Amino acid sequence: MTHFLDIHKTDASALRDILTKAQAMKDARLGQPKGTPDKDAALEGRMVALIFEKPSTRTRVSFDVGVRQLGGETLVLTGSEMQLGHGETIGDTAQVLSRYVDLIMIRTFEEDALLELADHATVPVINGLTNRTHPCQIMADVMTFEEHRGSIKGKKVVWAGDGNNVCASFLHAAGQFGFDMVFTGPETLDPEAEFVELARSKGVSVDVIRDPVQAVQGADLVVADTWVSMHDSLTTKERRHNQLGPYQVNAELMSHAKPDALFMHCLPAHRGEEATNEVMDSANSVIFDEAENRLHAQKAIMRYCLGL
Ligand code: CP
Ligand code: NVA
């Protein structure tokens, strides 16, 4: 069974193949209306379940459109409307869904729910975000960086703000694609030590620098994300905003990075909080390319999972 659960759990060569395929599929569609199928309809006759236990715009639409472009069909399900949200176990749900569909994508809260689903499913499972990681996003982000600046190997990526689920997948990607990371943010919101160590064990550097200006020196890419994630409690909001204010990505901060440094944000953004409009709408901002590349990267991930 070939699941796509996390970037560090997938071979580096498979990750590279996924991005090569994603770029080729993107190029092949140039100028083609979005609603038309790819010439190579790899998912023809296949049914894909998309389960959401949290809100989503990009993940939901890009997976749904991606499956259709590949000639397949989707079932978009919300956890609360399934028996899953009313006491049925994840294991039973996994086994039942496996009798109906060829692939399952899930966005959920606890990572254990994803792992249990994958454990019991007899079809591939894709991680569409958990509290802990967001691998599909970072596959799209690496693809986006390389489209604009060439190979990401040896480049310096600076994460500013909360060391959250998206930051975790960046750390996984650093180890697999060979780029260096700097985390800048308050100590209370540091990324998980396990993920920092994992990246370092693969030979890349991961530095934690509290001063944001010092952190972005020489950056090829600066990345921000929301200061309060979907799984964070609202009571932490006020405290987070006070702590994270100094880590806002604004034009002044970007002026200390390389002149051609790209800016990324997985979206949705709280404009004026983690990043200013000036940065988000600047010439070096690639936020909408990232969103588009979710579609292409995930099509390649689905094909990888199904061996197509
Ligand atoms: N970036 C991302 O995953 O967006 P959604 O929450 O809209 O899916
Ligand atoms: N860190 C954010 C990412 C949203 C796509 C969250 O988990 O809410």
PDB file of all heavy atoms in Angstrom, residues 129 134 164-166 225-226 229-231 266-268, ligand 2:
ATOM      1  N   LEU A 129      -3.724  17.432   5.739  1.00  0.00           N
ATOM      2  CA  LEU A 129      -3.403  18.297   6.899  1.00  0.00           C
ATOM      3  C   LEU A 129      -3.890  17.640   8.190  1.00  0.00           C
ATOM      4  O   LEU A 129      -5.025  17.162   8.274  1.00  0.00           O
ATOM      5  CB  LEU A 129      -4.032  19.692   6.783  1.00  0.00           C
ATOM      6  CG  LEU A 129      -3.804  20.709   7.937  1.00  0.00           C
ATOM      7  CD1 LEU A 129      -3.692  22.138   7.406  1.00  0.00           C
ATOM      8  CD2 LEU A 129      -4.907  20.637   8.979  1.00  0.00           C
ATOM      9  N   HIS A 134       1.498  19.105   7.136  1.00  0.00           N
ATOM     10  CA  HIS A 134       0.707  19.447   5.933  1.00  0.00           C
ATOM     11  C   HIS A 134       1.562  19.166   4.691  1.00  0.00           C
ATOM     12  O   HIS A 134       2.001  20.081   3.990  1.00  0.00           O
ATOM     13  CB  HIS A 134       0.320  20.929   6.006  1.00  0.00           C
ATOM     14  CG  HIS A 134      -0.765  21.325   5.056  1.00  0.00           C
ATOM     15  ND1 HIS A 134      -1.462  20.428   4.277  1.00  0.00           N
ATOM     16  CD2 HIS A 134      -1.284  22.561   4.768  1.00  0.00           C
ATOM     17  CE1 HIS A 134      -2.355  21.082   3.552  1.00  0.00           C
ATOM     18  NE2 HIS A 134      -2.269  22.365   3.824  1.00  0.00           N
ATOM     19  N   ASN A 164       4.521  25.659  13.389  1.00  0.00           N
ATOM     20  CA  ASN A 164       3.297  24.836  13.348  1.00  0.00           C
ATOM     21  C   ASN A 164       3.397  23.651  12.367  1.00  0.00           C
ATOM     22  O   ASN A 164       4.494  23.251  11.951  1.00  0.00           O
ATOM     23  CB  ASN A 164       2.099  25.739  13.018  1.00  0.00           C
ATOM     24  CG  ASN A 164       2.219  26.370  11.624  1.00  0.00           C
ATOM     25  OD1 ASN A 164       3.026  25.943  10.809  1.00  0.00           O
ATOM     26  ND2 ASN A 164       1.424  27.390  11.365  1.00  0.00           N
ATOM     27  N   ASN A 165       2.223  23.135  11.979  1.00  0.00           N
ATOM     28  CA  ASN A 165       2.137  21.976  11.090  1.00  0.00           C
ATOM     29  C   ASN A 165       2.775  22.220   9.714  1.00  0.00           C
ATOM     30  O   ASN A 165       3.412  21.326   9.145  1.00  0.00           O
ATOM     31  CB  ASN A 165       0.671  21.524  10.944  1.00  0.00           C
ATOM     32  CG  ASN A 165      -0.309  22.668  10.681  1.00  0.00           C
ATOM     33  OD1 ASN A 165       0.075  23.834  10.567  1.00  0.00           O
ATOM     34  ND2 ASN A 165      -1.593  22.329  10.608  1.00  0.00           N
ATOM     35  N   VAL A 166       2.614  23.422   9.182  1.00  0.00           N
ATOM     36  CA  VAL A 166       3.169  23.727   7.861  1.00  0.00           C
ATOM     37  C   VAL A 166       4.701  23.842   7.982  1.00  0.00           C
ATOM     38  O   VAL A 166       5.451  23.333   7.140  1.00  0.00           O
ATOM     39  CB  VAL A 166       2.536  25.016   7.287  1.00  0.00           C
ATOM     40  CG1 VAL A 166       3.093  25.341   5.909  1.00  0.00           C
ATOM     41  CG2 VAL A 166       1.009  24.852   7.206  1.00  0.00           C
ATOM     42  N   ASP A 225       2.916  31.978   8.005  1.00  0.00           N
ATOM     43  CA  ASP A 225       1.624  31.290   8.064  1.00  0.00           C
ATOM     44  C   ASP A 225       0.813  31.972   9.160  1.00  0.00           C
ATOM     45  O   ASP A 225       1.349  32.759   9.953  1.00  0.00           O
ATOM     46  CB  ASP A 225       1.826  29.786   8.359  1.00  0.00           C
ATOM     47  CG  ASP A 225       0.522  28.979   8.275  1.00  0.00           C
ATOM     48  OD1 ASP A 225      -0.473  29.492   7.714  1.00  0.00           O
ATOM     49  OD2 ASP A 225       0.500  27.827   8.764  1.00  0.00           O
ATOM     50  N   THR A 226      -0.462  31.630   9.214  1.00  0.00           N
ATOM     51  CA  THR A 226      -1.333  32.200  10.234  1.00  0.00           C
ATOM     52  C   THR A 226      -0.721  32.032  11.628  1.00  0.00           C
ATOM     53  O   THR A 226      -0.042  31.046  11.896  1.00  0.00           O
ATOM     54  CB  THR A 226      -2.724  31.528  10.176  1.00  0.00           C
ATOM     55  OG1 THR A 226      -3.544  32.092  11.186  1.00  0.00           O
ATOM     56  CG2 THR A 226      -2.645  30.024  10.400  1.00  0.00           C
ATOM     57  N   SER A 229      -3.602  28.532  14.295  1.00  0.00           N
ATOM     58  CA  SER A 229      -4.060  27.485  13.380  1.00  0.00           C
ATOM     59  C   SER A 229      -5.444  26.976  13.781  1.00  0.00           C
ATOM     60  O   SER A 229      -5.931  27.256  14.885  1.00  0.00           O
ATOM     61  CB  SER A 229      -3.063  26.324  13.382  1.00  0.00           C
ATOM     62  OG  SER A 229      -1.912  26.685  12.646  1.00  0.00           O
ATOM     63  N   MET A 230      -6.046  26.195  12.874  1.00  0.00           N
ATOM     64  CA  MET A 230      -7.420  25.728  13.087  1.00  0.00           C
ATOM     65  C   MET A 230      -7.567  24.905  14.366  1.00  0.00           C
ATOM     66  O   MET A 230      -8.626  24.891  14.964  1.00  0.00           O
ATOM     67  CB  MET A 230      -7.885  24.920  11.878  1.00  0.00           C
ATOM     68  CG  MET A 230      -8.085  25.779  10.642  1.00  0.00           C
ATOM     69  SD  MET A 230      -8.675  24.847   9.226  1.00  0.00           S
ATOM     70  CE  MET A 230      -7.160  24.232   8.522  1.00  0.00           C
ATOM     71  N   HIS A 231      -6.496  24.216  14.757  1.00  0.00           N
ATOM     72  CA  HIS A 231      -6.609  23.376  15.955  1.00  0.00           C
ATOM     73  C   HIS A 231      -6.252  24.125  17.233  1.00  0.00           C
ATOM     74  O   HIS A 231      -6.391  23.578  18.322  1.00  0.00           O
ATOM     75  CB  HIS A 231      -5.701  22.144  15.820  1.00  0.00           C
ATOM     76  CG  HIS A 231      -4.252  22.489  15.655  1.00  0.00           C
ATOM     77  ND1 HIS A 231      -3.686  22.775  14.435  1.00  0.00           N
ATOM     78  CD2 HIS A 231      -3.252  22.604  16.550  1.00  0.00           C
ATOM     79  CE1 HIS A 231      -2.399  23.035  14.593  1.00  0.00           C
ATOM     80  NE2 HIS A 231      -2.117  22.953  15.871  1.00  0.00           N
ATOM     81  N   CYS A 266       0.958  29.707   2.761  1.00  0.00           N
ATOM     82  CA  CYS A 266       0.080  28.650   2.232  1.00  0.00           C
ATOM     83  C   CYS A 266      -1.357  29.117   2.060  1.00  0.00           C
ATOM     84  O   CYS A 266      -2.122  28.492   1.329  1.00  0.00           O
ATOM     85  CB  CYS A 266       0.145  27.422   3.135  1.00  0.00           C
ATOM     86  SG  CYS A 266      -0.566  27.669   4.774  1.00  0.00           S
ATOM     87  N   LEU A 267      -1.725  30.209   2.741  1.00  0.00           N
ATOM     88  CA  LEU A 267      -3.090  30.738   2.739  1.00  0.00           C
ATOM     89  C   LEU A 267      -4.036  29.734   3.419  1.00  0.00           C
ATOM     90  O   LEU A 267      -3.791  28.538   3.304  1.00  0.00           O
ATOM     91  CB  LEU A 267      -3.570  31.064   1.325  1.00  0.00           C
ATOM     92  CG  LEU A 267      -2.666  32.023   0.518  1.00  0.00           C
ATOM     93  CD1 LEU A 267      -3.249  32.206  -0.893  1.00  0.00           C
ATOM     94  CD2 LEU A 267      -2.527  33.377   1.221  1.00  0.00           C
ATOM     95  N   PRO A 268      -5.086  30.143   4.101  1.00  0.00           N
ATOM     96  CA  PRO A 268      -5.580  31.518   4.170  1.00  0.00           C
ATOM     97  C   PRO A 268      -4.710  32.391   5.075  1.00  0.00           C
ATOM     98  O   PRO A 268      -4.185  31.915   6.078  1.00  0.00           O
ATOM     99  CB  PRO A 268      -6.982  31.358   4.764  1.00  0.00           C
ATOM    100  CG  PRO A 268      -6.906  30.118   5.598  1.00  0.00           C
ATOM    101  CD  PRO A 268      -5.955  29.207   4.878  1.00  0.00           C
TER     102      PRO A 268
HETATM  103  N1  NVA B   2      -1.404  26.240   9.996  1.00  0.00           N
HETATM  104  C1  NVA B   2      -2.695  26.388   9.362  1.00  0.00           C
HETATM  105  C2  NVA B   2      -2.623  25.963   7.932  1.00  0.00           C
HETATM  106  C3  NVA B   2      -3.903  26.106   7.174  1.00  0.00           C
HETATM  107  C4  NVA B   2      -3.821  25.627   5.750  1.00  0.00           C
HETATM  108  C5  NVA B   2      -3.728  25.575  10.131  1.00  0.00           C
HETATM  109  O1  NVA B   2      -3.460  24.421  10.480  1.00  0.00           O
HETATM  110  O2  NVA B   2      -4.803  26.117  10.379  1.00  0.00           O
END
